[in-house]
Amino acid sequence: MTHATIWSALILGLFLLAAAIDELRRPGQWHRMIEEIDASPALQMIVGLFELIFGTLLYLGSRGPTGWPGDWLAAVLTLIGGLAVLEALVITAFSDIYVRFWMRKLGTNTRVVAGLTLLIGAGFIAAALFRLA
């Protein structure tokens, strides 16, 4: 496993933790954010581009020197990176359909999703810190 995998897990975990805390502190933030993305073609393109860059870096940074993930954490991060790249392409090409789909799925009650996000973020942080020790 590379240090890039460890640091990617730590940074992703911290981001997920912070995003979940924000949603739990101010419920409805995620729904309002998706509404803003739905209303702005420029934001849709920026979100798609950002997610493409993020997914590509996560995918490439988590792969080992042989091209295959070295352990379960690297495999999970590689999978997340690959899925982020696919989602970026879908957001860019079909944002009107995709964003509205998530608005219906997410709804306005996001406490459960935020709680799961908090747990996943804490899991990534713990996995990274155990590997740094």
Side-chain angles (χ1 to χ4, degrees):
M1 173 181 18
T2 66
H3 284 298
T5 300
I6 296 169
W7 287 106
S8 294
L10 182 63
I11 292 167
L12 179 60
L14 289 170
F15 174 78
L16 292 173
L17 193 68
I21 289 170
D22 180 51
E23 179 60 27
L24 291 170
R25 280 186 54 247
R26 300 180 298 163
Q29 286 293 96
W30 289 355
H31 189 74
R32 285 189 292 279
M33 176 184 61
I34 292 173
E35 284 177 337
E36 288 179 13
I37 293 169
D38 184 42
S40 172
L43 270 179
Q44 293 165 6
M45 199 59 72
I46 290 169
V47 166
L49 179 61
F50 175 78
E51 191 169 13
L52 180 68
I53 293 167
F54 164 77
T56 301
L57 291 173
L58 193 58
Y59 182 84
L60 294 174
S62 299
R63 300 174 66 76
T66 62
W68 292 99
D71 69 346
W72 70 269
L73 181 59
V76 168
L77 291 175
T78 300
L79 178 65
I80 291 171
L83 291 173
V85 168
L86 290 175
E87 185 178 43
L89 298 174
V90 170
I91 287 174
T92 303
F94 303 104
S95 58
D96 57 332
I97 298 167
Y98 189 71
V99 171
R100 286 190 186 105
F101 167 79
W102 278 111
M103 283 180 69
R104 285 192 310 273
K105 289 289 182 193
L106 190 58
T108 55
N109 185 9
T110 56
R111 296 188 74 77
V112 172
V113 177
L116 287 172
T117 302
L118 188 111
L119 291 174
I120 293 168
F124 278 126
I125 292 168
L129 291 178
F130 283 124
R131 283 171 166 67
L132 281 175

